[in-house]
Amino acid sequence: LRIASTSRLRRLREMKRRAEGDNETAAGEEEAGLVPEPLIVVPITPGQGDDLDYAAWEWKTRLLAKSLARDAGFGCGYLHLRDMSGAPSINAFARDFYSDYDKEAFIIDVRNNRGGNIDSWLIDVLQRKAWMFWQGRSSNITTGGLGWDQQFAFRGHLVVLVNEHTSSDGEGFARGVSELGLGVIIGKRTWGGGIWLSSDNTLVDGGIATAAEIGTYNKNFGWGLGIEQMGVIPDVE
């Protein structure tokens, strides 16, 4: 049991008393919030608890970023990517990016990012450029008013947040943003894993023998992208 304050169950009990013609209620107990009501408790695993805590941190951080920007007089989008692995990460990006793509600034937070393989898709979206504009006479951007082509091109200032737990494809994404001049990297030097692997070297006991498999290269940094055993050094630390 828990002690209720205002609940649907409490209201239903009061409605039942009145329907039965009982005008006397336990007003003192109810006003004091001492009406017991049943509570169903569903246990969760420690991992599920950690996931809920992390989701709460993501939500609070997003609200804080948008609030601070609003107080400073501009609009700012924010999204956090836990990793770069498949549909969940793509969904997280699409949900929070496309709702705020028209803001003056955007923060993409890849702190604690565990890697994956969607950096090229993210960078492809961020490289879209507006080359023409249109304006409706009596409508706004959501109903066909001021807009631009390419659609959903971000035209503001981009910041990518990194830390020492940003790894693998999270580092590759940060390096790509920097190399292509898409934004500024802020935070701490990243983990330092610039040679990729496919994680398919599984063992009969369910373990895995990881081994470097896929070299990465570009003209400025050579093999390893200046990430392997070094990490991405942010523009602002």
Side-chain angles (χ1 to χ4, degrees), residues 14-231:
E14 182 63 22
M15 291 171 61
K16 183 174 182 293
R17 290 195 201 97
R18 291 177 180 175
E20 293 174 349
D22 181 7
N23 294 322
E24 295 183 3
T25 64
E29 289 186 353
E30 291 189 357
E31 290 176 2
L34 299 176
V35 179
E37 65 178 14
L39 175 67
I40 298 175
V41 177
V42 179
I44 60 176
T45 65
Q48 290 172 321
D50 291 342
D51 185 64
L52 290 174
D53 287 340
Y54 200 89
W57 173 83
E58 288 178 295
W59 178 249
K60 291 178 181 178
T61 305
R62 184 169 190 263
L63 291 181
L64 178 61
K66 295 172 78 68
S67 174
L68 291 173
R70 185 170 56 251
D71 292 344
F74 65 94
C76 180
Y78 171 91
L79 68 88
H80 177 72
L81 294 174
R82 302 186 185 192
D83 56 46
M84 302 287 199
S85 299
S89 299
I90 292 174
N91 289 342
F93 179 87
R95 180 185 63 241
D96 292 332
F97 177 78
Y98 289 113
S99 60
D100 282 330
Y101 78 96
D102 56 344
K103 297 294 190 292
E104 293 93 330
F106 211 105
I107 299 169
I108 298 181
D109 190 346
V110 291
R111 291 176 295 176
N112 309 316
N113 187 288
R114 299 186 297 270
N117 193 29
I118 65 168
D119 64 290
S120 59
W121 179 76
L122 301 181
I123 290 174
D124 180 61
V125 172
L126 296 174
Q127 286 189 104
R128 296 173 73 87
K129 302 294 183 182
W131 66 274
M132 62 89 76
F133 301 84
W134 61 84
Q135 170 69 63
R137 291 188 177 185
S138 59
S139 53
N140 59 44
I141 192 170
T142 59
T143 58
L146 176 64
W148 50 83
D149 189 355
Q150 298 173 319
Q151 287 83 357
F152 301 110
F154 175 64
R155 299 170 51 228
H157 300 283
L158 177 66
V159 166
V160 175
L161 299 182
V162 298
N163 66 4
E164 66 274 24
H165 301 297
T166 302
S167 61
S168 192
D169 201 41
E171 299 176 278
F173 169 72
R175 178 64 84 206
V177 167
S178 177
E179 285 292 279
L180 294 168
L182 300 176
V184 177
I185 314 300
I186 296 177
K188 297 181 179 180
R189 183 196 294 259
T190 62
W191 176 64
I195 298 177
W196 297 349
L197 49 86
S198 60
S199 299
D200 57 0
N201 303 320
T202 54
L203 306 176
V204 294
D205 63 358
I208 183 171
T210 59
E213 298 179 55
I214 306 167
T216 55
Y217 175 91
N218 88 337
K219 183 177 180 180
N220 287 338
F221 289 95
W223 289 103
L225 297 179
I227 297 174
E228 183 66 23
Q229 298 185 4
M230 298 173 62

